[in-house]
Amino acid sequence: MEHPLTFMSDGLKLSGVLHVPEGRAPGQKLPTFIVLHGFVGTKDKSHVELLARMIEEMGYCVFRIDFRGCGESEGARGEVRCFDQVADTKNAVTFISGREEVDAERIGVTGHSFGAAVAIFAGGIDERIAAVMSFCGWGDGERKFRGQHPTPEAWAKFTGILEEGRKHKAETGESMWVSRFDVVPIPEELRSNLSPKAQFEVPVETAWSMYNFRADDVVADIAPRPLLLFHTAGDVITPMEQSIRLFEKAGANAELMIPTGMSHFPLSEEDEPHTRTLVQAWLDKFFPSPLRQNS
């Protein structure tokens, strides 16, 4: 079952969908995951919608949300700020913990790409979050960008955009907008994995926000709560080393999985069965659902 819901975050009305597994008994409270979408993405027709459905099928309630300024949520379009998204995540935890279907003591957070970085940061600073799963996420914005713009020419172009945007804002008071692909390059052959509702331009301030965001700094604070760092080995969008560095900094009950498969999109049709098997095994060990145990 799916329930369209809205909740408030810093005065903005945000959109979400709550998935409730068919096997839930009346009055039963289930472990729940909040699912966070990627860079200027959306909860709908996206990789995280696939993630939400997979987790629901494993016996969990799932709440997938649109961050402010994205999808069906209120807020200025495309003006993504990392710490705003952390606040949205914390407010989603507060909201969903009051639902009768949800076990408020067992709320986890998961996300893909940018959403994974936000999930890790939120888990590090909010002790109400009982588990974190990161899919192709990142922990250090500057180092991530250096991996995404690896040649001297590409790095010069990217940092030139950042500096030009800073000057434009100082001189005009207005934001300079750029293509999302100038910020986070995605090969043409992989762009079909993006949601048709995703946005394709962002202000330069969004890139600065990502540049200065460091989930690395708080990942150790998730312990001893369980953390899964899942990263496809061939990821040409978010460098795999980001999850390796996160794992090196993480504490107890952190696990790193680096399967081969499609770059950056582990729930592609070809790779979904393998991803499902690995994730199910991790959940059974670290964050089991009573529906799974009773089946």
Side-chain angles (χ1 to χ4, degrees):
M1 295 178 61
E2 296 184 19
H3 306 278
L5 301 172
T6 59
F7 66 101
M8 300 304 294
S9 184
D10 295 344
L12 297 169
K13 183 184 291 186
L14 305 192
S15 175
V17 175
L18 176 65
H19 297 243
V20 180
E22 289 185 5
R24 173 183 173 266
Q28 185 179 27
K29 293 183 178 293
L30 292 175
T32 299
F33 275 97
I34 296 169
V35 178
L36 309 178
H37 63 74
F39 180 47
V40 285
T42 171
K43 69 183 186 307
D44 302 314
K45 299 185 183 302
S46 61
H47 209 66
V48 294
E49 182 172 355
L50 298 177
L51 178 60
R53 296 189 186 285
M54 181 183 77
I55 297 172
E56 177 193 5
E57 290 166 5
M58 293 176 176
Y60 301 80
C61 290
V62 181
F63 189 43
R64 54 184 167 95
I65 67 170
D66 284 328
F67 287 124
R68 69 184 72 181
C70 296
E72 297 177 325
S73 290
E74 293 181 347
R77 299 292 96 180
E79 294 192 8
V80 172
R81 305 290 188 273
C82 297
F83 289 105
D84 289 346
Q85 296 194 339
V86 172
D88 292 344
T89 304
K90 295 177 67 176
N91 289 322
V93 172
T94 300
F95 170 76
I96 209 64
S97 65
R99 292 283 302 194
E100 64 172 4
E101 304 95 336
V102 172
D103 182 346
E105 300 299 315
R106 301 190 71 213
I107 296 176
V109 178
T110 185
H112 176 247
S113 195
F114 195 163
V118 175
I120 293 167
F121 200 101
I125 65 171
D126 191 335
E127 293 184 352
R128 298 174 301 166
I129 294 170
V132 177
M133 293 194 297
S134 164
F135 291 87
C136 300
W138 49 276
D140 183 304
E142 179 183 357
R143 203 174 67 241
K144 172 190 74 77
F145 278 136
R146 286 187 179 274
Q148 291 171 325
H149 305 271
T151 67
E153 296 78 14
W155 185 245
K157 177 184 176 183
F158 174 69
T159 53
I161 289 172
L162 293 182
E163 190 55 36
E164 185 181 353
R166 191 206 297 271
K167 289 180 180 178
H168 184 84
K169 182 78 173 213
E171 293 170 359
T172 69
E174 302 290 331
S175 295
M176 185 179 86
W177 289 68
V178 296
S179 166
R180 62 172 292 155
F181 301 119
D182 285 337
V183 178
V184 178
I186 298 180
E188 289 277 359
E189 64 271 17
L190 295 179
R191 295 182 185 182
S192 62
N193 290 282
L194 297 175
S195 169
K197 297 185 177 183
Q199 299 171 61
F200 290 89
E201 285 196 335
V202 295
V204 169
E205 289 79 14
T206 288
W208 275 114
S209 173
M210 297 166 71
Y211 189 98
N212 293 318
F213 192 62
R214 289 178 51 90
D216 273 7
D217 292 344
V218 299
V219 65
D221 296 327
I222 295 174
R225 293 166 291 158
L227 166 66
L228 172 61
L229 298 163
F230 189 106
H231 211 120
T232 49
D235 196 334
V236 297
I237 298 175
T238 300
M240 181 184 69
E241 64 86 21
Q242 288 288 305
S243 287
I244 295 173
R245 298 288 89 79
L246 281 161
F247 180 68
E248 290 173 346
K249 292 175 178 292
N253 294 324
E255 190 155 307
L256 174 66
M257 296 184 185
I258 305 179
T260 59
M262 184 176 183
S263 175
H264 199 63
F265 297 102
L267 292 178
S268 63
E269 185 175 354
E270 178 182 348
D271 296 312
E272 191 271 348
H274 185 43
T275 296
R276 177 184 291 266
T277 299
L278 294 172
V279 173
Q280 182 72 79
W282 186 86
L283 287 170
D284 286 346
K285 179 177 180 179
F286 289 103
F287 200 67
S289 166
L291 297 187
R292 171 78 171 174
Q293 292 168 321
N294 296 337
S295 62

